[in-house]
Structure formats: C-alpha cells, structure tokens
Amino acid sequence: MKKWASLALTCMLVMSFLAGCSGKNEPAKEEAASGGEKKTEAADEVTKFSISLRTLNFGYVEKSPDINADKWVKRVEDLTKTDMDIRLVPHKEYEQKMVQMFATNDIPDVVQGQGGTTGKEMAGSVEAGVFMPLDDLLKEYGPNLLKKIPKEAWNRMSYQGKIYGIPEWLGNPSRRATWIRKDLLDQTGLPVPKTVDEYLDVLRAFKKLGVENPYMGRQDFKYADTFFGSYDVFPYLSQFEEADGQVQPKFMDSENMVKALSTYKTMFDEGLINKEFATINPTTFKNTILAGKAGIWTMNANELIQWQTQLQDTVKDAKLEIIPSPVGPDGKGGYYLYGDVARSYFINAKYKHPEKIIQFFDWMVSDEAEQFFTYGVEGENFTKEGDKINYKQPTDAQAVDEERYRQAFLWMVQDTTYNKGSLNLTEEGKSLMSVFDNTLANEGRDGIEFDPRLEALKKNPDIAPLSDTPPPLLITHMVKMVYGQEPIDNWPKVIEEWKSKGGSDVLKEANERYQSKEGVFLPRK
C-alpha cells in the first residue's frame, strides 16, 4: 500500500508540474512552419528523434546490450531516413517509470502509451497539453494511417474531439487464450475439457502424471484469471455491467465471485496450482512453462508458435494447443476483450518537425514495411520468385525470439492481432489463424468501459485499476481467501470496504457518466 501511496503522491506532483508547464507547450508546428527555408533544409536531412518503448518482457530486447546499435533498428532507420534514440521502459515497472518520466520532465520526442489518451501511465499529460493534436498533420502527412486504421481505434486516441495519438490496433479484441500441453492431455486419456468441473478433472489427472504445476499461476492473477472469465467476474475496473438499472464493476456480483474464488481455492488446496502463485513474476512464469513444468495456463494466442519452438528445446515431444476456455453457468467463458488499441504513440508538443514523425509512422502501414517486418531483408532472410516470397521461418529459440522482436516490437503500427503474411507460410500458422477466427472469435467477456477514465479512480490508488489486474485492495483479500486465511463468503464485506475507500464515489460518477453517455463504450458482445 505504501508503494501505491507514493505513486499517488507522485501523480499529484506530476499534475501540478504539467499544469504549470502546459502554457509553454504550444504546438511546435508554428516554429517548424515559421521559416520555410529552415523546414525545406530539414526535409533533406535524417530525422532525429527520441522515443520511449516498453520492453514488453521480450527477451531479445531486455538482453540487448544497446538497443540503439541493434542491426534491425539500424535497418529501420535506413529505410525511413531516421535516427532514433530509443529509451527502453522496463516492462515490470512500466506505469511507475512513466509517471516518473513525466514528473522529471524528461519526456522524449515520441512517447509510447499502452492505449488511449487518459491511461494511468500517461499521468494526465494529454490533458495538460504535453502532446500535440494530430488531426491536421495526419490529413497532410498520414494518408495511409487514416485509410488503414479503423475508426474505433482513432476514437480511442481522441480527447475533446481531437486526435492525440497514433494507435497500433486490434482487429480481433479476443486475444488471450487458454493453452494446454496436448501431449500431456493425451496421456491422461481425457477429452478436451469444456466446463469448470472438467477442467479441474484434467488438472487432477496432470497432478497424477507428476506435472509440477497443473495450472500455472502468477502474481496478481495476471495471466491466471481463467476462471474469473467462466463466471464473468473479472475483478478489473475496466469492466462494468448494468444491474437493476445501475452500472457497477463486475466483481460486485458476489454470488459468482464467490464461485470463482472457490474454484481457485480448490486448486490451491489440492495442489493443482503452485503454493507460491501469489509471488510468481512474469519471467518465472514463462521460464517454468518453457521448462516443461506446467499443464494449463493463459497467454496471448499469437505467442503459440514461438513458445512451441522454445518449449521443444527442453521437451522434444511437447505439443501445445489452444482450446476453448472453460464455460460457466451461462455457457460462456474466455478472457476480457482487449480495447481497440494495443499501443499508442504521442508526439511531444515541443518537437519541431512533427510531420516527419507522422511520415515515419505512415511508412509503418506501407507494403514495404509489411514485407520488411514480416520477412526481413531480401537476399539475407528471404528470396523472391516473381510475387512469391520464399521465407524459412526460424526454428531455434534464439532466432525465433529475434523474429518476434522484429515483427511485434519494432513494427510499431499495425493490426497486431496476428501476422498474416508469416502465418500463411506454414500449416502451423494457418492453424493459429483458425484459432483466432474460430475459437477466440466465439469467446471472451466484454463490459462497459469509460474513457476518459473515471476521475474518482485517481483519488485513491488502493482502489484504482492496474490495467488488467485487480486493485490492490481486492488482490489482498483474494489471495487471503485462496490461501484459506479469510472466508470467501466475506466477499460482500470486501465490496463494502471498497465502497468506503472511494468506491462509492466511483459508482456515483460511473452512473452519472453512463446516464449522460459521456465517454462510455458499450460491450461489443
């Protein structure tokens, strides 16, 4: 709690600082346009700019001794006539480091956000005028961006009627999936599970086989929220629902929340989930799975082929498969649906040549960029016979990691659902596209969202959302309940505690916004 209290204080300092500076951050377009000769001269030069990028827990990125000297970065720069100063933001500390960046005014020319204009990581910077509106620039210098990016994604990047960020978008918001070691399931003789009870039976069978982690847990229930989806009670403040004419967070459905927590407690009591799941970090989570020590877990579906390759370095006959997520009482299941924007890019209002940044991102959605990021360099990574591309996908773990870095990290603006060009080359790839189009497209839980986010959530960090994890107050009780240190039937009391610490203000504001239809996004399905 002390950690988040400190973060709250930092956020308030940031807002004070930004408010004081907002008058100084008039769009630099005027400076760039004030001297036509100066602008023409700049057009012939390499465009230099700094950019902050989240490491995304990519091994290739986090192990790089100097990302700015990386060969793929250099090739992007050659293709776009740019000179980037990439400033990496640690994945595990992303929100805290972003707030710190704004607090110290050490703001790059381009800042990567995690979607939307008013997220917690942006620390009120868009509202304070730190970044420039892009509408006119996009019309003149970003025709491909306007053509290819869906309206829904642009809506997410708008504030008070103006566009402030360039989005990496999601054509299919159902992205997370339930993974299983199919080779282990075959050993049990059981069919692919469908219901919560059938899933528990498979986990018990995995335990009998000696699987160390039948269900792979992770701290804060992040990427370990499978059964909250079964009961449609994701404990996030990004998901509201209507009940008796009022809107409320889904975790206020005590009956189904108790059922979901009881499922996790059963898993804990029977040794179907690691006893230390509450402290397992992302790196340990992934390494444990790739060491062959897990049976079922949650991960983004587009990672399947890469993880399959890496896992087989350890367990030669391992076979990964994505299966339908466990359904609950309503016959539905799946994970929370992502927003229309996966990542986003904002241009510092002080930058003198924003049109060059727009052109850089406009190139990202070109045919040339798609070929480069998908296949690499002609003659080195692939060859062409007419229109046919001959590309051999890497098989060793290190090369797979490098390909993923090129396709998913460096390719900053794209439909990031999956890489169609790459997947079309193999049967495994075509199978993965089928998973997206036929399995994931038919599952997932959505809810009522508010953007800009509710002001009441900014006042108390203990009840505020941490993107796709529960608020700290809820996590504390959830872990205690699964560990048997607190009765699960106490959940209604947890709700009352949440209300007493600012939740009532959240409910009041949410209902006022819902009734006035102010910044409200309704469920897509």
Side-chain angles (χ1 to χ4, degrees):
M1 184 178 295
K2 290 181 180 179
K3 175 181 177 183
W4 289 103
S6 175
L7 181 57
L9 178 59
T10 303
C11 287
M12 287 188 287
L13 291 173
V14 171
M15 291 302 294
S16 298
F17 176 83
L18 293 177
C21 292
S22 60
K24 300 178 182 179
N25 289 341
E26 294 299 325
K29 287 192 297 179
E30 296 180 10
E31 292 184 40
S34 61
E37 182 178 340
K38 185 176 181 180
K39 186 172 181 178
T40 301
E41 180 183 348
D44 297 329
E45 298 177 354
V46 169
T47 302
K48 296 183 178 182
F49 64 93
S50 55
I51 180 171
S52 61
L53 297 175
R54 186 176 186 175
T55 62
L56 298 174
N57 203 31
F58 279 25
Y60 187 96
V61 177
E62 296 184 342
K63 295 175 184 176
S64 174
D66 181 2
I67 197 68
N68 287 298
D70 176 70
K71 66 178 182 181
W72 293 110
V73 170
K74 293 299 182 184
R75 283 167 173 164
V76 169
E77 292 175 334
D78 289 341
L79 288 166
T80 57
K81 295 182 180 179
T82 59
D83 180 4
M84 291 185 287
D85 172 16
I86 298 176
R87 303 178 186 180
L88 296 176
V89 183
H91 183 69
K92 298 177 186 177
E93 306 169 278
Y94 176 64
E95 289 183 347
Q96 295 94 324
K97 291 295 184 181
M98 287 285 284
V99 170
Q100 180 181 335
M101 178 183 74
F102 290 116
T104 59
N105 199 32
D106 184 20
I107 305 171
D109 300 318
V110 180
V111 172
Q112 181 192 75
Q114 62 183 8
T117 61
T118 60
K120 189 172 185 178
E121 84 285 359
M122 298 304 293
S125 54
V126 173
E127 298 97 312
V130 173
F131 302 105
M132 64 179 67
L134 306 178
D135 303 74
D136 293 339
L137 288 162
L138 286 166
K139 289 176 184 177
E140 187 169 357
Y141 302 102
N144 294 315
L145 292 169
L146 291 175
K147 181 180 179 180
K148 291 199 173 184
I149 297 175
K151 179 181 178 182
E152 293 77 11
W154 287 120
N155 288 342
R156 294 280 183 166
M157 301 313 304
S158 298
Y159 175 71
Q160 293 185 342
K162 293 185 178 181
I163 295 172
Y164 279 87
I166 298 171
E168 176 186 38
W169 73 99
L170 275 172
N172 181 352
S174 185
R175 185 177 184 179
R176 291 190 182 180
T178 303
W179 298 33
I180 194 168
R181 279 282 302 278
K182 185 61 166 56
D183 56 305
L184 296 178
L185 180 65
D186 291 342
Q187 289 181 43
T188 70
L190 293 172
V192 173
K194 297 179 180 179
T195 66
V196 172
D197 287 340
E198 289 174 357
Y199 263 77
L200 289 175
D201 286 341
V202 168
L203 295 177
R204 292 175 180 120
F206 281 174
K207 183 181 179 183
K208 289 181 180 179
L209 288 178
V211 178
E212 189 172 322
N213 300 276
Y215 179 86
M216 189 62 208
R218 184 170 147 180
Q219 67 186 38
D220 299 338
F221 292 93
K222 188 178 177 76
Y223 285 95
D225 50 3
T226 307
F227 299 100
F228 293 116
S230 303
Y231 294 98
D232 198 15
V233 286
F234 285 120
Y236 316 135
L237 283 159
S238 57
Q239 288 223 338
F240 283 69
E241 63 183 355
E242 187 173 351
D244 300 324
Q246 298 288 305
V247 292
Q248 63 181 34
K250 289 187 175 184
F251 62 76
M252 288 181 65
D253 179 355
S254 293
E255 179 182 353
N256 282 305
M257 191 66 178
V258 166
K259 291 177 181 177
L261 288 169
S262 296
T263 301
Y264 283 97
K265 188 174 188 309
T266 295
M267 293 159 59
F268 182 84
D269 291 343
E270 296 185 19
L272 308 180
I273 187 173
N274 194 297
K275 297 293 184 182
E276 306 299 325
F277 81 89
T279 59
I280 293 176
N281 63 39
T283 301
T284 301
F285 175 82
K286 181 177 181 179
N287 290 343
T288 302
I289 292 169
L290 296 182
K293 298 179 180 180
I296 292 176
W297 62 91
T298 300
M299 184 42 58
N300 293 335
N302 56 4
E303 302 278 358
L304 181 67
I305 295 174
Q306 289 86 349
W307 283 40
Q308 170 74 51
T309 301
Q310 291 171 314
L311 174 61
Q312 286 185 330
D313 282 351
T314 305
V315 185
K316 183 179 179 181
D317 297 324
K319 173 64 177 175
L320 299 184
E321 192 169 296
I322 289 174
I323 60 177
S325 300
V327 300
D330 64 356
K332 300 177 182 179
Y335 301 89
Y336 83 98
L337 298 182
Y338 277 58
D340 298 294
V341 176
R343 294 184 289 182
S344 49
Y345 301 88
F346 303 85
I347 302 177
N348 195 317
K350 295 180 179 179
Y351 190 69
K352 293 184 179 181
H353 291 286
E355 74 281 355
K356 294 295 184 180
I357 304 298
I358 297 294
Q359 290 172 333
F360 170 78
F361 286 120
D362 196 63
W363 173 82
M364 289 272 174
V365 295
S366 68
D367 291 341
E368 179 185 42
E370 181 176 358
Q371 178 174 287
F372 168 75
F373 289 116
T374 301
Y375 308 115
V377 178
E378 185 174 1
E380 294 182 26
N381 308 103
F382 73 94
T383 59
K384 293 182 74 173
E385 297 177 15
D387 293 332
K388 181 183 178 183
I389 290 179
N390 299 309
Y391 174 69
K392 186 176 182 181
Q393 291 183 303
T395 55
D396 67 278
Q398 184 174 349
V400 167
D401 204 24
E402 182 176 336
E403 179 193 54
R404 176 171 172 256
Y405 156 75
R406 186 184 71 239
Q407 293 179 350
F409 182 86
L410 280 184
W411 195 0
M412 302 174 199
V413 179
Q414 59 169 312
D415 181 350
T416 194
T417 302
Y418 55 70
N419 189 303
K420 185 175 181 179
S422 179
L423 295 182
N424 257 325
L425 296 174
T426 65
E427 291 305 315
E428 294 85 358
K430 293 175 182 177
S431 177
L432 180 54
M433 287 193 289
S434 178
V435 166
F436 273 100
D437 297 339
N438 299 303
T439 300
L440 298 185
N442 294 318
E443 67 178 39
R445 301 289 196 175
D446 205 3
I448 299 168
E449 296 181 60
F450 296 95
D451 190 7
R453 67 195 182 106
L454 301 170
E455 289 293 324
L457 293 175
K458 302 176 184 179
K459 297 177 181 179
N460 189 336
D462 202 33
I463 68 161
L466 304 176
S467 59
D468 53 353
T469 54
L473 184 150
L474 298 189
I475 291 174
T476 299
H477 288 286
M478 290 163 64
V479 171
K480 286 182 178 180
M481 288 175 175
V482 173
Y483 276 52
Q485 299 170 0
E486 180 179 351
I488 294 176
D489 288 340
N490 274 1
W491 190 254
K493 295 181 180 179
V494 175
I495 294 174
E496 292 305 312
E497 182 182 355
W498 177 78
K499 288 181 180 179
S500 71
K501 293 186 175 181
S504 292
D505 292 336
V506 172
L507 294 174
K508 182 176 182 294
E509 183 184 352
N511 279 281
E512 289 173 352
R513 288 266 298 270
Y514 184 69
Q515 294 300 323
S516 65
K517 298 181 173 59
E518 179 187 347
V520 178
F521 290 83
L522 298 177
R524 285 155 289 190
K525 64 176 178 178

